[in-house]
Every structure is written in C-alpha cells, then in structure tokens.
Amino acid sequence: MGTESAPRPLSPRFGEFGGRYIPETLVGAHEDLEAAYDEARRDPAFQAKLADLLKHYVGRPTPLYFAERMTRDCGGARIWIKREDLAHTGAHKINNALGQALLAKRLGKPRIIAETGAGQHGVATATVCAMMDLECAVYMGTEDIQRQSLNVFRMKMLGATVVPVDSGSKTLKDAINEAMRDWVTNVRTTHYIIGSAIGPHPFPTIVRDFQSVIGREARAQMLEQAGKLPDVAIACVGGGSNAIGLFYPLLDDPVRLIGVEAGGSGVGSGKHSATLVAGRPGVLHGTKTYLLQDPNGQVLETHSISAGLDYPGVGPEHSWLKTSERAEYVAVDDRQALEGFQALTRTEGIIPALEPSHAIYHAMQVARTMRPDQDLLIGLSGRGDKDMHTVAAALGVTL
Amino acid sequence: MSQQLRDLFARAHGERRPLFVAYVTGGYPSPEETVPILLALEAGGADVIEIGVPFSDPLADGATIQHANQVAIEHGVTLRDCFGFVREARSRGLRAPVVFMGYYNPILSLGEARTAAEARAAGADGFIVVDLPPEEAGSFLTACKANDMSFIPLVAPTTRDARIEKIAAVADAFIYCVSVTGTTGKGNVAVDDLPLFLGRVRERTDLPLAVGFGITRREHVEAVGAVADAAVIGSAIIAAIDAAETDRLAQRVMEFVKDVSGR
C-alpha cells in the first residue's frame, strides 16, 4: 500500500482462499467498508494522517535490532529483531487498530467493537478509541480474561467495556462469534475492528495493509543496517497479522518466509493451534481458509500457552502462501516457546510476549543451520509483561 | 428446485392463507427425540419444517439456538444424521416439505454435490445457508439445481434495493426475510417496519416471502401473516422443548405449535 504507486485493486480472494461468507445483514456494511477503504488508501490526506499518528503516537519506525549475543550463542546466521514490542501499547496490534479507527471515523460510525485473545488487540483498540473519542466494547473469552487480567484492567482504565464471553472454548474464536453477533445487531452505528488478518473481505486485506508497515520498515532497515535483505524472515502465526505484515513487503524478494504456529502440547496430542500444519480448508468467520475441524466440519477447540495464538483458523492469505509454497509453516510447542522466551530474555535483555517466543525458538533452530554471512529476521510482535503470570506458573514459580 | 415447496406456496397463495414454518435444531434435545418432534410440528400445524443443522460457531444465532447446537454436537449429530432424521420421519408419515437451515462449513466438509444429492434422497426440499450469500453460492446452487433442491436465500433490512434483485435471481421457492438486524431468539420482530421492508422486496420479485427472526408469539405470527406469505418460528419452539416434561415432549411441542400457529 505505498503512496508512491497506484494500489492494486482490492481482490476478495487469495487464490482459492478468502471471500465473504457472511450473514446477509452484514453485506452492506462490508460493501461500505470496502468502498471507504478503497478511497482512503488512495487519499493523500488519509495517508498523511495515518503516517503522522504512526510516527508521533505509535513511535514508528520501530527499531531493527541486531541480536549479537543470541547470534553468537546460535553460531550461525546473524539474527535481527524487528521490535514491534516497542510500539505504543506494546505490540504490533496498534498499527491496525489505528488505521481502522480512522476508517470508522470516515464511515461516520461512533461505536467500535473488537475481539481480543491475549488482550493486546483489545488494549490497542481501547487506546485509539480513547484518543479518538469513540465508544468501545471489547469481547473476550472468560478463559483469556483470567490469564490476561492485566490487559483487562488496562482496557477498563482506557474507558472500554470488556464483555466476557462464556460460550464454547471461552477463547478468541468465541469472542469473535460474540463480536459478530453484536455487529449483526448494531451494524448501522458500529464498526468492528477485527484484530487479525482474518474474517470476511475486505478485512484480511485491510489488516495486512495496515500491518505491512512492519515489513516495509524492516526491509529498508535491513538494507541500511545489514547492507542486504534477510535470507530468512520468521514470525509467529495465530490469525497471522504480524506475520503477513512482515512477509507482504518481502513477497517479491528472494527471502525464505517461515510462519510459526502454536504447537500447544504437541501437534500429535490434538491440543494445539497449528492450523496450517494440521488443518484442512473450510469456512469460519466469513472466510475460506485452513481450519482445525473434525471430519464433519465442526470447528475444534484449540490450545496454546499463548492466548494470542489460540485460534482454529488463520488468515486466508497465509493459506494461499502455504498452498502456493511461497511461505512455509511449522509448529512450536508450549515448552519450546518457553525456551525461546527465556533465551531472548537472558541473552538480549528483551522480554518477549509468548506469541513471538514461538518464532524466536524456531529462529534459533534455523539460524544454527545457516552460515555466519547470512541474515535472519524475526518479527517480535509484542512484549512479555502481560505473560509474567503464565510464565511463572509454567516454570512452577508462585508470584 | 423443490416442486413440493413451489406447489405449497402457490396453493396457499391461492387460498390467501399464510404458511407456518417451524424450526427445530436437529438432534435437540437428543437424536432419539428429533423424529417425534418433527411429526409433532406437522401435527400442530407446521406447513414447512426447518431442521437446523448443528454447527460449532452459529454466529447469527442467539443464546437459545446456540445452546441447542451445542447440545446436538455433544450428541455427535452431523449433517448426514440430519438427512437420516428426514428419511425416518418420511417413513413415519411426515408430508411437510423440509428445509435445512445452517452454516456453510459442514456442507463444504461433506461436499456440496454429495450434500444436495443425499438430502434429496432422504426426502428433503431445500437449504437455507446463513453464511452463504449469492456471491459465494455458485457451486452449491449448481448442486441444488441438479438435485431438485431449493436454495433459499436471505434478505435483511440492511439489504439494498439493487441487491434484492440479485438475491431473488438465485431463489426458486421463496425468500427468507430477516425481520430485524440481529440474532435469532430476541423476540423483537419489528412488525411496524415490515410493510415497508417487504414492500421493497416485493417491488423486485414475485417470489413468496417468509419472515423469520424475533417471532415468538401468536400475535407476531398473525401480524406477519397479514403482510407476508409465511412466518417462521424457531427459538420459541426450542424454548417450548426446554419447558416440556421429558415424557410428554412431542405432545407439548404439538400443543405449542397449534397454539402459536392458530391452527
């Protein structure tokens, strides 16, 4: 989505994936959103406003950091870290929340709803709503409310209403169902800021475009700081917004792209969230994509130590990148993610969120197989403060 | 296209008699009780029966039908089990046309052509797929046509005029008009808004119109019947099932339908 060149037309599909599988009540709102976004992305005033807020409010560009000690410890490729954890509110989610809130303003909708898993998207949305004076309700599974109580309190402080969701697995998937039900009811006044590159068209495209700032910056920073593009780029994938944001500007470059899913207790155990590794195509939340489902098309419950990856679907563009073999996808389990978490914390003094800890663990394995003159880029999607209770519990420590 | 559905609506139209459509989730409260409930719906006065196909993520449904879906899934009820309910009910004398209402993924999972063919073979008449707007329905429409099944599209109050024509173009039996913006089971049908809404639809199609969502009482059914070709009632039937004594379930369902339909 560069302002320098004419944007490509908005396509509802990524290969066979994507589309708009939604109740009729919501079709008009999606058409309006598509039209508004298509105008906005061509509107220099909108782009200037977004760029200004990204710089002065979010604190962009976020740094690209050379992880010297981790590089030495792994003994292979040079490891570079794109520091989305340093963005305002502590994760990449703000990039999308900000862009979509500006769109809501453009649509004249005074009320915002959102779903959240780890709470980072909820916090980001509550934050921009406070800043832009929008009413905000955030749907969150009761299981996630319990394991992310700090973020729940942050959202409330920011003036948002946190609506507990007690249906199904009580996690992200059910929060999305409940947000959709709210939207079906209040669509005339409400915009739904979906937090990942999932959902019906045009959401996967909008979220990808707003998150592509990650990859655009990282690409330029690699060229400047390393003097070349990375050989490999790695990011964690739940819905996949930070990964698609990192990958998209690198798609036409000779960069190996690896998405890391949550292996939970192990892909063989059935208790995981590794959608692209272990799922098959289906339709959930308005989009055709890989899904974890039973043989009868019922969507399965997922498990991960990280609330933000605990989702049985995945962004449709990732499904396309998988089947077209442009990107590869692997699973890293809870235990390995904790190992990645501790490694980055100890060697670099950076406490990552549990979500990107999956990517860090896999990056360490891949770096070891690479030469010292090669470069590996990790998308560090968020910081780990929110996960301290979970990590402590997993390590058997009582706080 | 289901000739049975077409004939039924044409006959009712000739008699100026609004039809009554009754919904129940397949496999709720248990697979064993579903067929007796289907027969009770017809005995109580249902002209058309909708069987809800259980889905794990029914995002257009309110709490009542969500719960029914969940219970049915816990019983292991599948799309093919729903075909089985129709087959058995037909063998036990059910005559009313039956349409399945549900979400796309179980259909996609079984296969669209296989779904339409097996549904037809079981004696069903059509499909209402809540999350399959006409733009995405191409291959399933083809499968329905090839098997004499009706595809029943939905129109909502938020549907724009130009789009109504597009939707009507894929319908062959009737159009399902969603009475309110919202989920099922809120009991909030906006009767006063219906003439304007249905008028917009009627200006663009001659097909019969059924109205559902938010209809819970006899007054609703009567008010809807005055302006539409059919009224659909769903969550209230699930609630009647929940309120019934287990040993008199079918009887209570029949009484409720009789009462609410005015038959």
Side-chain angles (χ1 to χ4, degrees):
Chain A
M1 191 192 61
T3 44
E4 62 282 351
S5 61
R8 299 175 205 172
L10 294 175
S11 166
R13 297 248 164 208
F14 308 94
E16 66 173 295
F17 301 103
R20 189 183 278 164
Y21 300 85
I22 52 174
E24 179 59 31
T25 304
L26 293 176
V27 170
H30 284 77
E31 288 173 350
D32 291 348
L33 177 62
E34 183 176 359
Y37 177 61
D38 202 25
E39 273 177 32
R41 68 189 186 133
R42 293 159 199 274
D43 178 358
F46 180 88
Q47 293 298 340
K49 176 80 180 163
L50 178 60
D52 180 70
L53 286 170
L54 285 175
K55 182 173 179 191
H56 297 108
Y57 188 69
V58 178
R60 304 204 72 91
T62 58
L64 177 74
Y65 170 73
F66 175 55
E68 194 174 346
R69 283 195 67 204
M70 181 170 265
T71 296
R72 201 166 58 227
D73 279 8
C74 291
R78 291 185 291 256
I79 297 172
W80 301 83
I81 297 176
K82 179 60 175 165
R83 299 286 310 271
E84 291 302 297
D85 60 315
L86 294 177
H88 180 41
T89 71
H92 72 292
K93 294 292 187 188
I94 190 85
N95 304 326
N96 168 54
L98 191 61
Q100 284 205 50
L102 288 174
L103 279 180
K105 284 274 191 190
R106 210 176 163 98
L107 287 161
K109 296 200 167 167
R111 179 172 178 266
I112 297 294
I113 53 170
E115 85 293 343
T116 199
Q120 288 304 124
H121 175 58
V123 167
T125 303
T127 298
V128 298
C129 286
M131 192 255 284
M132 293 189 199
D133 192 22
L134 294 160
E135 186 187 340
C136 180
V138 179
Y139 287 86
M140 190 168 185
T142 48
E143 162 108 353
D144 291 338
I145 285 179
Q146 199 206 330
R147 56 181 166 171
Q148 300 290 349
S149 56
L150 176 64
N151 273 343
V152 174
F153 188 63
R154 287 170 83 193
M155 286 184 266
K156 288 180 178 167
M157 288 287 97
L158 289 160
T161 306
V162 178
V163 188
V165 177
D166 211 16
S167 57
S169 56
K170 309 179 198 333
T171 60
L172 184 55
K173 168 183 85 108
D174 308 283
I176 295 173
N177 288 340
E178 218 40 50
M180 287 272 188
R181 290 183 187 116
D182 180 315
W183 206 22
V184 165
T185 309
N186 301 301
V187 60
R188 290 184 174 99
T189 59
T190 300
H191 176 64
Y192 178 14
I193 301 188
I194 290 185
S196 192
I198 58 169
H201 175 66
F203 282 105
T205 301
I206 290 178
V207 178
R208 178 252 279 158
D209 287 352
F210 286 141
Q211 292 296 0
S212 288
V213 67
I214 303 171
R216 281 200 309 276
E217 285 178 6
R219 190 179 185 284
Q221 288 165 324
M222 283 299 301
L223 289 174
E224 193 191 318
Q225 293 172 237
K228 64 188 268 286
L229 290 174
D231 299 276
V232 178
I234 298 184
C236 63
V237 176
S241 69
N242 98 88
I244 202 68
L246 184 68
F247 292 174
Y248 188 68
L250 298 170
L251 283 182
D252 297 331
D253 295 315
V255 179
R256 185 179 165 203
L257 305 173
I258 306 175
V260 184
E261 298 191 306
S265 311
V267 172
S269 72
K271 288 175 172 281
H272 62 85
S273 308
T275 307
L276 289 161
V277 169
R280 64 187 172 95
V283 168
L284 177 68
H285 295 147
T287 192
K288 184 180 279 183
T289 190
Y290 272 72
L291 275 187
L292 292 172
Q293 54 183 322
D294 77 6
N296 301 306
Q298 305 296 354
V299 180
L300 295 170
E301 294 195 0
T302 53
H303 299 268
S304 170
I305 192 168
S306 59
L309 302 182
D310 212 343
Y311 182 62
V314 67
E317 196 162 9
H318 285 294
S319 293
W320 168 236
L321 292 177
K322 173 190 163 79
T323 55
S324 63
E325 298 182 350
R326 177 61 190 92
E328 55 202 282
Y329 296 87
V330 298
V332 157
D333 68 27
D334 290 349
R335 194 185 47 76
Q336 294 168 325
L338 278 169
E339 206 177 299
F341 174 94
Q342 289 171 292
L344 189 70
T345 303
R346 295 271 175 83
T347 61
E348 299 293 348
I350 297 171
I351 300 180
L354 282 170
E355 290 80 8
S357 296
H358 291 73
I360 292 158
Y361 175 85
H362 190 67
M364 290 162 59
Q365 315 312 309
V366 174
R368 290 189 178 115
T369 68
M370 294 168 68
R371 296 190 313 269
D373 63 336
Q374 292 183 306
D375 295 279
L376 183 152
L377 170 64
I378 305 174
L380 181 55
S381 56
R383 68 178 185 222
D385 311 43
K386 69 180 175 63
D387 294 318
M388 283 302 137
H389 280 94
T390 307
V391 172
L395 299 177
V397 178
T398 311
L399 292 184
Chain B
M1 177 188 80
S2 157
Q3 198 58 47
Q4 291 89 329
L5 274 175
R6 292 272 291 212
D7 292 348
L8 175 66
F9 273 94
R11 212 160 48 235
H13 186 74
E15 296 163 7
R16 309 189 70 77
R17 176 178 74 94
L19 296 176
F20 183 79
V21 183
Y23 167 100
V24 68
T25 304
Y28 185 78
S30 72
E32 296 71 32
E33 284 158 309
T34 296
V35 171
I37 288 172
L38 298 177
L39 295 167
L41 293 174
E42 182 171 54
D47 301 294
V48 177
I49 291 169
E50 271 182 29
I51 298 180
V53 178
F55 182 50
S56 51
D57 295 83
L59 52 77
D61 284 300
T64 306
I65 293 180
Q66 281 176 50
H67 176 249
N69 274 256
Q70 211 170 329
V71 169
I73 288 171
E74 280 160 19
H75 287 304
V77 173
T78 67
L79 176 55
R80 301 187 75 197
D81 290 334
C82 291
F83 302 158
F85 296 142
V86 180
R87 197 179 306 114
E88 191 188 332
R90 291 271 181 252
S91 77
R92 289 168 62 177
L94 185 79
R95 301 188 54 192
V98 173
V99 298
F100 295 110
M101 183 161 191
Y103 296 80
Y104 186 43
N105 200 52
I107 294 172
L108 190 63
S109 182
L110 182 61
E112 293 178 314
R114 188 169 167 194
T115 294
E118 289 192 15
R120 188 67 197 157
D125 297 89
F127 282 96
I128 302 168
V129 190
V130 178
D131 56 351
L132 196 65
E135 293 85 348
E136 305 289 0
S139 50
F140 189 53
L141 269 169
T142 306
C144 286
K145 278 193 191 6
N147 290 282
D148 298 324
M149 293 288 283
S150 284
F151 179 84
I152 296 133
L154 299 101
V155 169
T158 52
T159 305
R160 285 168 192 140
D161 291 348
R163 199 178 149 73
I164 293 174
E165 285 164 35
K166 195 160 149 188
I167 292 169
V170 304
D172 55 38
F174 66 96
I175 293 175
Y176 191 120
C177 300
V178 178
S179 73
V180 286
T181 56
T183 55
T184 57
K186 294 277 159 64
N188 56 344
V189 59
V191 173
D192 293 346
D193 298 342
L194 278 180
L196 188 67
F197 170 40
L198 297 181
R200 285 204 300 126
V201 184
R202 281 208 204 283
E203 272 175 39
R204 288 159 186 90
T205 178
D206 294 329
L207 284 164
L209 307 182
V211 173
F213 280 47
I215 301 173
T216 54
R217 301 193 300 273
R218 174 112 165 233
E219 304 93 273
H220 293 156
V221 174
E222 281 169 1
V224 168
V227 290
D229 302 283
V232 188
I233 193 161
S235 300
I237 290 175
I238 301 291
I241 290 172
D242 292 340
E245 315 89 310
T246 34
D247 56 336
R248 310 202 55 191
L249 196 55
Q251 174 71 21
R252 292 289 180 243
V253 168
M254 190 193 74
E255 287 164 7
F256 175 75
V257 171
K258 223 177 195 121
D259 181 52
V260 79
S261 70
R263 297 286 155 80

